[in-house]
Structures are given as structure tokens and as C-alpha cells.
Amino acid sequence: RSVFAVAEGGNERADLAGSVGALLHAIGQSSGIETDLVVSGSPLPTVPRIQDVLYSVTKEALTNVAKHAKADVVLVHIRYGDRRVDIVVQDDGVGIGDLALRRYADDHLHFGLRHMRKQVLEAGGVFEVTDGDESGVTVSASIPLHR
């Protein structure tokens, strides 16, 4: 609980990479899934709302991995750019069905995916869910630093 309490605070208490690192540690401890975090670029001052959205998306994606993916490994990549911040959550699990990929935006069975997409779009960003090249699912979110 204390890890999540610190991480939930967004920009005031922890940066995005630190918060996501704490999430990955907690997921790894509770599920046994091997986790890895890759951070590229240099963090720029961002609006706390952007960090909150990206943290929320990452948390939901990791929750989905732990509950549904039957994955051995999950990788989170945070890319800080001059104009945007990107997060990619990738696992090596069982993947997601074609029907779910086509319909999750409107399907009431996939509330978590719909909610992630809505948050990112409301922040002016781009959200995508794809099947991995060989296995698993990739969740990507990209949000501009300034609208």
C-alpha cells in the first residue's frame, strides 16, 4: 500500500519513472512476473496531469498483464521527447483476440482498455493496443507535452 500511495501522487511526490518502477516492483513481487523498465530521453517539466494519465495507463496495463496475460516477462519503456512522452507496456503472454482488438473501444467487456484510451485521447494523445510480434500484447500511449 505504501508503494502505491507514494506512486499515486504523480509529480508532487515522485517522477513518472520512479512511480512506474515502484509499480513494476510491486507487480513482480506479487505475481512472479519478471519486470524491466527502460527510460530514454531526458525528462522535461511536465504537467502533472500528463504524468497522472501515463501512470494510470501503465498501472491498468500492468494489472491486465498480471490478471490475464499468463506472461513471464513484462517490459515498460518510457520515452521522453522534446514534445511528447511515450509509454509502451509489452508482455510475452497469451495475447488478445482479434475481436477484442477491433472492438475494445466500444465493447463494455473491456472497460480497462476503454478507460485507458479515453484518458489518453482526452489528454490530446494517441493510444494503441496491438498483438505482439510473436506473443503477448503491446499497449502504447503517447501524450504531447503542450497542446
Side-chain angles (χ1 to χ4, degrees):
R1 285 188 200 141
S2 27
V3 168
F4 286 111
V6 170
E8 296 267 354
N11 200 25
E12 296 90 6
R13 288 179 232 149
D15 66 9
L16 181 60
S19 298
V20 169
L23 261 180
L24 283 169
H25 179 74
I27 291 285
Q29 292 286 10
S30 66
S31 68
I33 297 172
E34 182 183 332
T35 64
D36 197 13
L37 173 63
V38 175
V39 180
S40 59
S42 299
L44 297 171
T46 60
V47 178
R49 171 82 175 121
I50 291 172
Q51 289 201 40
D52 291 346
V53 169
L54 290 173
Y55 174 81
S56 176
V57 166
T58 304
K59 184 176 180 180
E60 180 65 30
L62 290 172
T63 299
N64 285 346
V65 170
K67 283 184 178 178
H68 308 295
K70 299 179 184 168
D72 294 317
V73 179
V74 63
L75 167 70
V76 176
H77 186 178
I78 301 172
R79 286 187 297 256
Y80 294 102
D82 293 337
R83 296 190 171 119
R84 58 191 325 102
V85 180
D86 305 322
I87 287 208
V88 178
V89 179
Q90 193 171 9
D91 70 71
D92 69 344
V94 296
I96 187 170
D98 288 337
L99 184 60
L101 277 175
R102 286 192 309 257
R103 300 178 74 190
Y104 75 87
D106 300 317
D107 187 353
H108 293 287
L109 296 175
H110 300 283
F111 176 76
L113 290 173
R114 273 195 0 256
H115 182 67
M116 285 188 275
R117 179 177 177 271
K118 180 181 177 200
Q119 286 182 295
V120 172
L121 294 179
E122 286 176 352
V126 177
F127 179 80
E128 185 177 27
V129 179
T130 58
D131 267 325
D133 291 336
E134 295 179 24
S135 66
V137 172
T138 301
V139 174
S140 305
S142 180
I143 299 181
L145 295 175
H146 306 288
R147 282 189 156 183

